Amino acid sequence: MKIGVCAKITPDADARIKVAADGQSIVLDGVKFGISDYDEYAIEEAIRTKEKHGGEIVSFTVGDASADKQLRSGALALGVDRSVLVTENPGDPLGIAKLLAAAIQKEGGFDVVFTGKSTIDQQNFQIGTMVAELLGWAHVTQVTALEFEGNQFKATRNMDAGIRQVVAGTLPAVISCEDGLNTVRYAKLPDIMKAKKKPLDSVGAGAIGGDAGAARSSVGNLAPPPARPAGRMIEGDAATAAKELVRLLRDEAKVL
Amino acid sequence: MNYEKLFNPTDEHQALREMVADFTRAEVEPQAAEFDAKGVLNVDLFRKLGELGLLGITIPEEGGGAGMDAVAAVIAHHELSKSDPGFCLAYLAHSMLFVNNFYWASNDEQRGRYLEKTISGEWIGGMGMTEPGAGTDVIGMTTTAVKDGDSYVLNGTKTYITNGCEGYVFLVYAKTGDRITAFIVDRDCPGFSTSHHIDKLGMRGSTMSELIFEDCRIPASNLLGKEGGGLTHMMRNLEIERLTLAAMSVGIADRCVEIMVRHGQERHTFGQPINQYGQIQRYIADGYAMTEAAKCLVYNVARDVGPDVHNRIGSDAAKLFAAPVGKMVADYAMQVMGGSGYCREYPVERLWRDAKLLEIGGGTLEAHQKNLTKDLARLHRI
């Protein structure tokens, strides 16, 4: 199978995020970057698919030229064969999706492309769906189990209330990956060393025949959540304190 | 050179550090207290180090290893020791004392027999130098090896051998005549046995035993290098051994600083966090400064150690400085935590017990002082 995977470089999940003075971006100094968590599931699923069905894995990223470092350690060292890094900075998710779709089309011949269900920085949940639409392929979101047979796939996804939905379809397809689909492996040390020799193409939009187009939406401003007010200590013995707590929950917080 | 480049000279070093740190947090930390209490090696977890390619970290790619350098070995020991120095000691005894030493001392035929299964972790390895009557005074060893046809016959006892209980194969130093020679001894050699597990204060995630040779017959093809060449192998390997041991002290100290910084903010007395008190500030700030100094020294020396580059002064100095720092910063952390630091519920008391070994094993502080004084006098002869 020819397997594609879309991976975004984002701040680490445990990075401390501060809004920059312009109110529209975050402070990047001292922030550690890595492949977005859900995209790690996508990479893992791509590798497992190759292990089972054979073939080749190509990853696609739209991002800064410095992303090559994370792509080597987070994608190529794990088992991705080649990486394409489109060094553009589109203004909205549609622009990113257009460039990814163009790169996937330019490369051609894919049976399946994996994406994370969303990225942990923007959490727009849009890329997989837009890429599928632009390519005209089948698409399933938030997949937690997946099988291939011939040119058919069967994907399980979680719906609300814990109901599981099984979706069948014909390849090619874009599969967006949810937590629980797999467990991400560690890069093996010899593979970390081999990754530096694997092909990583840094290209502009022109080289893949892509065009992000004008952004149709833009970020107005970013604001951290309001600081939590300080807690209040209730004095007195257990019985008195419990009564007072119930009174406060009912009369002040109005949650009872 | 900026700070980060000293510790992660290349992207591959950084990727290695992140991989080992992730593995340590997810798989090593959760089991550390349990295996410390039991005093046994977690063999299943050890084999995972093999799957990750960490057991052949310094072995060139053509030998089936990762082809990395002393800095990489330091990184792996540094990160593992943040959670479980005892487990890391088993890793060190295997990958540094056995695999690294064996590789550079062996011929192709010997590599063919022992390398693949020790790099994968199927066979656990160790090294036998110390004897009941000969530690720092290594030349005073009494284990002998006598050539008999196409065999050597070994007699004697090695002691305090890490991985003795679980090990299949050992690199053993013995005297042929009055010179020291290195041999490979495995469990299938008749006359070879190991003692009971020698219980110990710390580093309890790894085991220790005697290696006993009673007319132990090994094939002559298990001679490493040539007769009388043992000291060369020993000396060549000592540098990376000491550096990785020093890196373990740095890992312990790093973790203890992290614990102090957090506890100093969380714990309140007399209405304020304890890091508002000068006495606590001294432990946190001094502990941090000492840890950073040890870290910089160890990584700086590691850049100049390899199969063909030697820095005995540097590696002795690194371990001489780092080992007491590990012990002292663990002690600071326990003092900052007070009663809770003394309890088994938290990792500090375990790290505190583990830290002491590094002032003794792989060269006592006194051995480093002796070597350094001698080497410095030779360097600046008047």
Side-chain angles (χ1 to χ4, degrees):
Chain A
M1 288 175 84
K2 188 157 179 178
I3 304 154
V5 56
C6 300
K8 186 178 185 185
I9 308 303
T10 63
D12 255 19
D14 51 5
R16 212 167 261 193
I17 302 297
K18 274 196 223 144
V19 176
D22 67 4
Q24 290 183 322
S25 59
I26 61 165
V27 178
L28 298 179
D29 276 356
V31 171
K32 225 178 98 193
F33 287 85
I35 288 179
S36 173
D37 292 23
Y38 295 107
D39 291 347
E40 288 185 342
Y41 298 127
I43 290 170
E44 178 64 34
E45 200 58 23
I47 298 165
R48 288 178 189 217
T49 303
K50 180 183 163 176
E51 283 170 350
K52 208 165 169 187
H53 301 281
E56 187 194 15
I57 306 170
V58 187
S59 77
F60 298 93
T61 299
V62 174
D64 195 78
S66 63
D68 63 341
K69 189 168 160 177
Q70 285 84 14
L71 287 174
R72 289 210 189 272
S73 60
L76 295 171
L78 288 164
V80 169
D81 297 298
R82 294 188 280 129
S83 287
V84 177
L85 171 59
V86 184
T87 54
E88 301 285 346
N89 185 19
D92 65 353
L94 182 59
I96 296 173
K98 281 179 175 172
L99 293 176
L100 287 171
I104 290 164
Q105 250 164 348
K106 166 94 178 163
E107 174 70 32
F110 288 99
D111 298 291
V112 62
V113 169
F114 294 100
T115 70
K117 72 167 179 182
S118 75
T119 54
I120 61 165
D121 55 347
Q122 304 278 357
Q123 299 207 18
N124 282 320
F125 292 78
Q126 295 183 23
I127 297 298
T129 308
M130 287 176 168
V131 169
E133 184 62 23
L134 290 165
L135 294 170
W137 293 3
H139 177 46
V140 191
T141 56
Q142 286 165 263
V143 170
T144 55
L146 183 65
E147 285 170 42
F148 296 102
E149 206 178 314
N151 68 343
Q152 300 293 305
F153 70 86
K154 204 163 82 180
T156 306
R157 57 190 300 276
N158 286 344
M159 295 170 63
D160 275 351
I163 296 171
R164 287 190 170 182
Q165 184 184 54
V166 178
V167 181
T170 303
L171 298 175
V174 175
I175 302 291
S176 73
C177 304
E178 168 69 295
D179 192 359
L181 174 61
N182 53 45
T183 307
V184 175
R185 69 191 64 198
Y186 301 102
K188 292 179 179 174
L189 186 47
D191 296 337
I192 289 175
M193 298 302 280
K194 282 176 200 144
K196 65 181 169 187
K197 292 174 200 146
K198 286 188 174 179
L200 193 161
D201 294 332
S202 250
V203 295
I208 51 164
D211 179 8
R216 300 190 191 180
S217 63
S218 60
V219 176
N221 76 309
L222 295 174
R228 246 200 281 173
R232 199 191 306 173
M233 291 303 292
I234 302 170
E235 306 290 337
D237 61 55
T240 321
K243 267 187 204 156
E244 177 64 2
L245 176 63
V246 171
R247 190 191 67 78
L248 290 170
L249 288 172
R250 190 180 54 218
D251 298 347
E252 283 195 19
K254 300 191 192 303
V255 292
L256 292 183
Chain B
M1 174 182 285
N2 64 29
Y3 180 85
E4 189 53 34
K5 277 283 168 208
L6 177 61
F7 305 127
N8 299 313
T10 68
D11 291 347
E12 288 74 38
H13 287 102
Q14 190 174 344
L16 164 71
R17 183 185 300 282
E18 282 167 15
M19 180 266 277
V20 180
D22 287 347
F23 176 75
T24 300
R25 268 192 299 271
E27 312 221 8
V28 180
E29 177 71 21
Q31 57 81 56
E34 181 194 342
F35 282 83
D36 170 69
K38 290 198 286 199
V40 297
L41 169 66
N42 185 343
V43 174
D44 291 341
L45 189 66
F46 186 87
R47 298 238 154 86
K48 285 194 185 170
L49 297 175
E51 288 169 26
L52 293 173
L54 289 166
L55 299 180
I57 187 165
T58 54
I59 306 307
E61 282 176 37
E62 60 267 27
M68 294 192 89
D69 57 5
V71 175
V74 161
I75 288 171
H77 289 83
H78 179 181
E79 294 299 331
L80 283 170
S81 294
K82 288 179 182 173
S83 282
D84 194 346
F87 179 71
C88 186
L89 190 68
Y91 169 61
L92 187 149
H94 177 96
S95 60
M96 297 294 119
L97 306 192
F98 182 82
V99 177
N100 187 67
N101 197 347
F102 170 78
Y103 183 81
W104 300 108
S106 55
N107 57 39
D108 285 346
E109 185 274 330
Q110 293 165 331
R111 289 174 186 171
R113 281 190 286 147
Y114 291 109
L115 203 54
E116 191 185 333
K117 286 188 176 175
T118 47
I119 287 182
S120 74
E122 183 179 339
W123 287 345
I124 296 175
M127 185 272 286
M129 186 188 315
T130 299
E131 296 184 357
T136 301
D137 174 21
V138 64
I139 312 293
M141 68 172 60
T142 58
T143 298
T144 56
V146 177
K147 183 102 188 264
D148 179 27
D150 55 2
S151 307
Y152 280 93
V153 178
L154 271 66
N155 276 289
T157 301
K158 299 288 176 184
T159 195
Y160 307 141
I161 308 307
T162 298
N163 294 346
C165 297
E166 301 84 2
Y168 172 77
V169 60
F170 298 89
L171 194 154
V172 175
Y173 294 103
K175 280 214 172 141
T176 46
D178 58 355
R179 299 171 73 198
I180 293 174
T181 302
F183 297 95
I184 295 300
V185 181
D186 66 48
R187 290 266 176 198
D188 292 328
C189 297
F192 172 57
S193 62
T194 50
S195 73
H196 65 280
H197 167 220
I198 304 170
D199 204 2
K200 53 191 192 291
L201 170 79
M203 298 291 189
R204 295 171 53 81
S206 59
T207 66
M208 199 164 78
S209 78
E210 292 180 344
L211 308 182
I212 302 161
F213 310 99
E214 293 169 302
D215 290 328
C216 168
R217 192 167 283 272
I218 63 169
S221 58
N222 279 20
L223 165 73
L224 279 176
K226 53 179 195 280
E227 274 195 28
L231 270 185
T232 313
H233 308 315
M234 194 188 286
M235 293 307 156
R236 182 176 45 206
N237 212 58
L238 274 177
E239 294 166 2
I240 199 163
E241 291 170 22
R242 287 177 179 152
L243 271 179
T244 45
L245 286 162
M248 291 182 60
S249 293
V250 171
I252 292 172
D254 246 350
R255 178 74 185 278
C256 289
V257 168
E258 184 201 312
I259 289 170
M260 279 193 283
V261 170
R262 175 180 287 267
H263 190 80
Q265 298 172 74
E266 283 172 355
R267 170 79 173 156
H268 286 64
T269 58
F270 306 106
Q272 57 179 345
I274 60 170
N275 71 4
Q276 296 303 303
Y277 301 110
Q279 287 157 308
I280 299 298
Q281 288 163 3
R282 192 195 143 197
Y283 288 127
I284 295 175
D286 287 9
Y288 174 78
M290 287 193 287
T291 302
E292 288 301 298
K295 204 190 293 183
C296 290
L297 176 57
V298 171
Y299 278 88
N300 194 46
V301 173
R303 292 191 292 163
D304 291 325
V305 167
D308 306 313
V309 246
H310 297 283
N311 189 349
R312 189 166 105 148
I313 289 179
S315 55
D316 267 305
K319 183 159 172 287
L320 177 63
F321 186 75
V325 165
K327 188 183 75 169
M328 218 172 327
V329 179
D331 200 64
Y332 285 3
M334 194 184 289
Q335 200 63 28
V336 165
M337 290 189 72
S340 58
Y342 196 71
C343 293
R344 286 274 154 99
E345 203 178 329
Y346 298 99
V348 169
E349 63 83 27
R350 175 168 53 81
L351 297 169
W352 185 87
R353 285 183 284 113
D354 293 346
K356 177 63 196 174
L357 182 272
L358 297 154
E359 293 189 339
I360 300 169
T364 58
L365 297 180
E366 294 72 21
H368 302 315
Q369 286 156 351
K370 174 177 100 65
N371 294 342
L372 271 171
T373 306
K374 194 169 114 190
D375 288 348
L376 288 169
R378 193 182 289 158
L379 194 66
H380 305 287
R381 210 184 288 279
I382 50 169

